Amino acid sequence: MIIALERTVFLVTTKLARAFGCCSLPTAFPMKNPITQLLLTFALALAFQTSAGAENDRPNIVFIFSDDHATEAISAYSGGRLNHTPNIDRLAEEGMLFENSFCANSICGPSRACILTGKHSHVNGFLSNENARFDGSQMTFPKLLQKAGYQTAMIGKWHLVSDPTGFDKWEVLPGQGSYYNPDFIQMDGSRKRRPGYCSDIITDLSLDWLEERDPDKPFMLMCQHKAPHRNWSPPARHLKLFDGQDLPVPDTLFDRYENRSKLLKEHRMGIDEHMYWGHDMKFHGKNQFPEAFSTGIANAEYRRMTPQQKARWDAAYEPKNQALIEALKAGKMSKEEVVRWKYQRYIKDYLRTIQAMDDGIGRLLDYLDATGLASNTIVIYSSDQGFYLGEHGWYDKRWMFEESLEMPFLIRWPGTIQPGTKSRALIQNIDYAPTFLELAGIEAPKEIQGASIVPILKDRGYASPEWRESIYYAYYGERTHNVAAHDGIRTLRHKLMYFPRTREWQLFDLMRDPKEMTSVHADPEYTGVLEDMQKRYRAQRKHFGVNSAAIPVSRLTEDWWQKRYRAKNRLTANEPADLLFIGDSITQGWEGAGKAVWEKYYGKRRARNLGFSGDRTEHALWRLEKGNFKAVEQPKAAVVMIGTNNTGHFQQAADETAEGVEKIVAKLRHRFPKTNILLLGVFPRGATSEDPLRKLNHAINGKIKALGAQDHVHYLDVGQAFLDDRGHLSKDIMPDLLHLSPKGYAIWADAIESKLVQLSGFPSISS
Ligand code: CA
């Protein structure tokens, strides 16, 4: 009764506050109201009695989640060096803060998929944000909670392309969503534009759902903010926060990327060069200083604003913008000063959006208090990954360096977690699903790769001796921001990274070098540490079933590869083809040393060369998965020969490479069920049969020949045709003992011709 009364008081006042606009809503509302305070005391007392009387009541879960929130921008973590987040901090004061909380893949969609499934990206299938779509038919924790009688809701940013599954109620932003007057996708597929500021609306919708739900059932609410994602557009009420202050600049703002992989220099996420004049820096009109700002993307948020919103926006930004324009025109600012100005613009906007979100979290916590729900509700705050706030000169995420590897994780569980506790246990986003399941009394399916942290919560933050000693991380590479694919592990003290493109190890001693400015992988002092970390890395990959040969991955960060991919994509979309060649540089070489032979054999057969130099099985797999084959309805035949780079680059185990080949064949059969696949054994390499890489290729063939038993798949090993009687390769046929000469291509074409004619129905060349 009292709870109901209090809830009504809360709602009426909330609605009044909303009527006056969110900016008039005090953060601590309604706690400042003495009547409310009194009612709350009764409510809490009653709620306490209720929960004490029914110990078996399953707890509710409120999972508050944001996008790109670095721990450095939460005062409970940073001590308030940059900003103050009083409401998020409440969870630390009343609950537990995890100091070593990490993501499995530092990017929006993939992190969310890891959370929903409790599995690494290569298992849940959502590897990157490029051309990806979450398979919502798989097991997720909301589905299991729903099945066990929980009411489930998902409000806010979803960002997994497919519709949410496993929720009684959902209302989500399309894609990245907007800060101002955002659109929301409804459960019937329609879109609704909601006036106001995104973080406030997500809070309001969450409160509405809490109010409307069935009070007799436990619930799980996912309240997922867009903030503080790029382009960091603050609400009117916080536009002037930090005005007149110079926020501290990170020591590594002018990092020159020495003593680490050269891949760091390829990034396109620098505050110095990659901030847009309109989108990021909030200038209107044409870019007046292209040497200092990127051109191309305007501030789309501004276009969404009402005249009133625009007026407040311009009043805040325009005087500062005009002052900078004048200073630059007068030649008064050095290059470094411009970077510092951009950093201040960026960091202040970023923090302003966080302030608005923190206001909303305060309202949500107050609601739980006021309604008495707080005592039996577990509240979590986390973000999909961290973010660079100028460290290494960057914004954005992706790298396995600390700032973006970290995820904030704060959790309040009244009566179980000792208030104000900190845990040093290594936890990861794949642990959330099994944790939520255990909280709800549901047994976690065996397929889940994470582990429940409930025992840590119950034991004052201490992990058992059996708890993991390292976490595994993998980023699969995207064109956006040009960060190369890498994976690695992190223990409490060290971090090991591996970059397959350059085949480089990086090792960091986080105690001596917390800012990760020097890789010590080649330092003799660290030989033992490197070996130990590599051993752990291999063990982790084995444990999680990571076989890089079978995980589709792009090479879009390499310019030539991207160009070739796009060109082939256009071709396959526009021109029909009857014959496909799929492979690596040996296949690509049909356009070089093999050109004349190609003309003779395939010039009139509508053949397409899909060979990409340096491709391993995982890259060909990605191309087949993402590539556009619109015009290639059902080619008559496809010739596949790949795997020698898995051997050459990594000396990858034959069964791993064979699994990659198997997936390529499966992908082809799926896309072209009527096409006959001519699967070739990987060509011999090296001078003699004793060559270790030749042996590996031979072992791959031993595994993949069995694929020929499948319908429409024919296995053929033509390797012998390149060898002499003693099994030697001559430089006449393979000048570098790997790639073919024109003579080699003639041997290849001749060796497969009769089989190809048989499979495709092409008229024979000689006839
Ligand atoms: Ca994100």
Side-chain angles (χ1 to χ4, degrees):
M1 186 66 183
I2 291 171
I3 291 175
L5 178 60
E6 169 59 34
R7 193 179 282 164
T8 310
V9 169
F10 180 86
L11 270 194
V12 167
T13 352
T14 300
K15 274 169 185 162
L16 276 173
R18 273 186 221 168
F20 288 105
C22 288
C23 51
S24 64
L25 197 65
T27 305
F29 176 85
M31 298 295 282
K32 285 176 185 166
N33 179 329
I35 301 170
T36 313
Q37 191 97 53
L38 187 66
L39 286 166
L40 177 65
T41 312
F42 282 115
L44 283 175
L46 191 69
F48 179 75
Q49 276 183 339
T50 310
S51 66
E55 279 176 6
N56 292 329
D57 271 2
R58 291 182 291 176
N60 307 305
I61 299 168
V62 172
F63 180 56
I64 310 169
F65 195 62
S66 67
D67 198 329
D68 296 355
H69 195 173
T71 54
E72 198 57 31
I74 297 173
S75 38
Y77 275 93
S78 68
R81 194 180 69 87
L82 284 172
N83 64 333
H84 292 278
T85 47
N87 294 300
I88 296 173
D89 289 6
R90 270 185 66 186
L91 298 178
E93 287 151 19
E94 297 163 11
M96 193 179 288
L97 175 150
F98 281 79
E99 293 176 334
N100 291 303
S101 154
F102 303 104
C103 59
N105 183 354
S106 183
I107 184 159
C108 305
S111 177
R112 289 154 204 265
C114 291
I115 288 172
L116 288 170
T117 60
K119 298 171 185 175
H120 279 284
S121 305
H122 67 280
V123 182
N124 69 47
F126 203 96
L127 297 173
S128 80
N129 278 346
E130 264 163 4
N131 304 325
R133 185 182 178 86
F134 182 69
D135 171 11
S137 71
Q138 63 187 308
M139 178 280 301
T140 64
F141 82 83
K143 281 187 192 171
L144 297 175
L145 286 175
Q146 192 183 38
K147 209 171 137 201
Y150 269 71
Q151 291 170 90
T152 56
M154 159 70 222
I155 310 284
K157 184 165 174 184
W158 173 246
H159 206 214
L160 289 165
V161 189
S162 54
D163 282 348
T165 53
F167 299 98
D168 298 314
K169 155 85 186 181
W170 58 264
E171 178 160 352
V172 299
L173 297 166
Q176 298 285 11
S178 304
Y179 279 107
Y180 273 82
N181 311 317
D183 296 321
F184 283 84
I185 306 175
Q186 309 297 305
M187 291 177 81
D188 64 5
S190 66
R191 290 193 184 198
K192 189 184 268 183
R193 182 160 297 191
R194 295 191 176 272
Y197 186 71
C198 191
S199 306
D200 299 334
I201 297 165
I202 289 169
T203 302
D204 290 342
L205 292 173
S206 299
L207 289 171
D208 288 348
W209 182 77
L210 286 173
E211 196 52 29
E212 288 156 11
R213 82 200 149 79
D214 177 353
D216 297 327
K217 282 185 176 173
F219 67 85
M220 190 278 297
L221 165 67
M222 295 171 80
C223 168
Q224 305 205 161
H225 290 280
K226 168 186 173 61
H229 192 275
R230 198 180 182 187
N231 76 343
W232 320 293
S233 288
R237 68 180 180 278
H238 290 312
L239 281 172
K240 295 188 176 177
L241 186 68
F242 307 112
D243 269 9
Q245 294 179 46
D246 255 343
L247 293 179
V249 171
D251 301 340
T252 60
L253 181 63
F254 295 97
D255 192 346
R256 310 276 32 122
Y257 313 116
E258 284 153 359
N259 306 316
R260 283 151 295 171
S261 166
K262 64 181 186 202
L263 291 170
L264 270 65
K265 290 183 184 163
E266 290 185 4
H267 76 86
R268 293 201 196 109
M269 49 192 274
I271 292 174
D272 56 354
E273 286 186 26
H274 307 106
M275 287 278 192
Y276 288 104
W277 168 262
H279 181 61
D280 299 316
M281 297 283 99
K282 324 286 167 47
F283 287 91
H284 293 315
K286 190 172 165 267
N287 183 2
Q288 297 187 42
F289 307 97
E291 66 286 358
F293 298 88
S294 273
T295 303
I297 305 183
N299 181 6
E301 292 292 342
Y302 189 75
R303 285 203 294 269
R304 305 182 66 88
M305 293 178 196
T306 62
Q308 206 184 10
Q309 288 167 333
K310 281 182 178 169
R312 292 187 70 174
W313 182 274
D314 285 335
Y317 285 103
E318 277 311 291
K320 298 170 208 159
N321 291 357
Q322 293 310 321
L324 182 85
I325 288 170
E326 289 315 310
L328 282 172
K329 276 185 178 162
K332 281 183 188 161
M333 289 176 82
S334 69
K335 215 172 170 182
E336 191 186 310
E337 282 170 327
V338 177
V339 173
R340 288 178 187 277
W341 187 94
K342 288 161 83 177
Y343 167 75
Q344 293 294 333
R345 167 61 51 97
Y346 156 54
I347 192 70
K348 286 178 184 178
D349 280 350
Y350 177 85
L351 297 174
R352 287 163 180 152
T353 68
I354 287 170
Q355 215 61 42
M357 184 175 65
D358 191 70
D359 296 343
I361 293 168
R363 285 203 285 141
L364 201 50
L365 294 180
D366 288 346
Y367 175 87
L368 297 177
D369 287 341
T371 51
L373 283 167
S375 61
N376 194 35
T377 299
I378 294 160
V379 182
I380 292 118
Y381 179 76
S382 179
S383 184
D384 56 0
Q385 83 289 309
F387 214 65
Y388 296 96
L389 306 180
E391 297 92 354
H392 307 295
W394 292 331
Y395 61 96
D396 211 72
K397 51 249 178 182
R398 301 161 202 276
W399 301 97
M400 201 192 162
F401 295 110
E402 291 294 271
E403 291 82 1
S404 57
L405 179 66
E406 284 177 346
M407 290 170 85
F409 193 86
L410 304 105
I411 178 166
R412 184 180 79 176
W413 187 2
T416 301
I417 293 178
Q418 196 176 319
T421 328
K422 287 186 175 174
S423 174
R424 296 203 69 224
L426 287 166
I427 66 162
Q428 216 170 2
N429 50 356
I430 53 169
D431 299 333
Y432 300 5
T435 300
F436 293 154
L437 293 173
E438 184 172 351
L439 291 173
I442 303 164
E443 198 181 335
K446 293 237 173 342
E447 61 190 282
I448 283 187
Q449 296 185 312
S452 168
I453 65 166
V454 169
I456 299 172
L457 303 177
K458 287 182 172 168
D459 196 13
R460 295 160 298 141
Y462 295 109
S464 76
E466 293 78 41
W467 189 254
R468 68 170 72 92
E469 289 179 347
S470 65
I471 55 116
Y472 175 71
Y473 174 89
Y475 174 72
Y476 292 90
E478 283 185 14
R479 189 63 184 164
T480 317
H481 298 298
N482 218 49
V483 176
H486 58 288
D487 71 349
I489 58 160
R490 187 201 189 279
T491 63
L492 283 171
R493 165 104 188 239
H494 297 106
K495 183 184 292 178
L496 181 75
M497 300 185 196
Y498 183 71
F499 289 87
R501 196 177 115 201
T502 47
R503 290 173 246 163
E504 276 176 297
W505 296 101
Q506 299 276 285
L507 179 67
F508 297 95
D509 182 337
L510 301 168
M511 203 158 86
R512 291 191 191 165
D513 178 24
K515 294 185 176 158
E516 299 166 291
M517 298 298 280
T518 302
S519 172
V520 291
H521 64 282
D523 183 336
E525 196 194 325
Y526 283 89
T527 307
V529 176
L530 180 68
E531 279 170 12
D532 174 63
M533 289 294 280
Q534 286 171 330
K535 203 171 126 195
R536 289 171 188 267
Y537 169 81
R538 283 190 288 270
Q540 283 275 38
R541 283 169 55 101
K542 196 166 178 202
H543 174 71
F544 289 120
V546 181
N547 171 12
S548 61
I551 301 166
V553 65
S554 86
R555 292 171 64 195
L556 289 170
T557 58
E558 294 166 75
D559 279 332
W560 78 266
W561 192 94
Q562 188 203 188
K563 256 184 222 153
R564 184 170 171 85
Y565 172 69
R566 302 243 184 268
K568 295 290 180 189
N569 227 6
R570 274 194 301 275
L571 209 59
T572 42
N574 296 319
E575 285 179 34
D578 289 331
L579 175 61
L580 305 178
F581 276 81
I582 294 152
D584 47 41
S585 56
I586 303 174
T587 297
Q588 186 173 350
W590 283 117
E591 294 168 10
K595 205 162 181 213
V597 182
W598 175 276
E599 277 309 312
K600 180 182 166 196
Y601 281 84
Y602 313 118
K604 294 199 174 76
R605 286 173 169 174
R606 297 210 297 188
R608 182 130 317 141
N609 184 338
L610 299 178
F612 282 59
S613 181
D615 264 18
R616 298 187 295 270
T617 49
E618 58 264 40
H619 305 122
L621 194 56
W622 188 89
R623 288 194 274 117
L624 286 176
E625 195 162 293
K626 308 292 181 189
N628 190 344
F629 293 93
K630 237 197 282 179
V632 188
E633 295 255 313
Q634 293 293 331
K636 293 187 167 78
V639 180
V640 179
M641 203 283 287
I642 193 153
T644 202
N645 289 324
N646 299 73
T647 296
H649 295 174
F650 304 136
Q651 304 201 19
Q652 193 150 14
D655 55 345
E656 290 188 4
T657 307
E659 192 192 339
V661 175
E662 185 181 347
K663 284 208 167 174
I664 288 171
V665 169
K667 183 61 69 183
L668 268 170
R669 291 190 67 207
H670 177 74
R671 290 199 82 149
F672 308 116
K674 290 180 187 156
T675 300
N676 282 316
I677 298 166
L678 179 56
L679 175 64
L680 299 181
V682 186
F683 290 177
R685 60 186 295 169
T688 70
S689 54
E690 290 310 303
D691 182 278
L693 303 183
R694 166 109 58 110
K695 282 184 173 170
L696 257 181
N697 279 359
H698 189 67
I700 296 168
N701 294 344
K703 310 260 173 201
I704 61 174
K705 69 178 172 204
L707 299 173
Q710 300 176 14
D711 280 350
H712 292 285
V713 185
H714 306 265
Y715 176 79
L716 187 63
D717 186 349
V718 301
Q720 208 58 43
F722 302 110
L723 305 173
D724 68 14
D725 306 345
R726 297 167 299 158
H728 288 193
L729 256 181
S730 87
K731 294 200 172 177
D732 184 32
I733 293 170
M734 290 194 191
D736 60 354
L737 303 176
L738 174 63
H739 297 94
L740 298 171
S741 65
K743 186 175 168 190
Y745 280 102
I747 295 172
W748 182 1
D750 182 59
I752 64 172
E753 178 60 13
S754 65
K755 191 73 186 171
L756 199 56
V757 166
Q758 181 200 332
L759 294 180
S760 62
F762 290 133
S764 186
I765 291 296
S766 47
S767 66

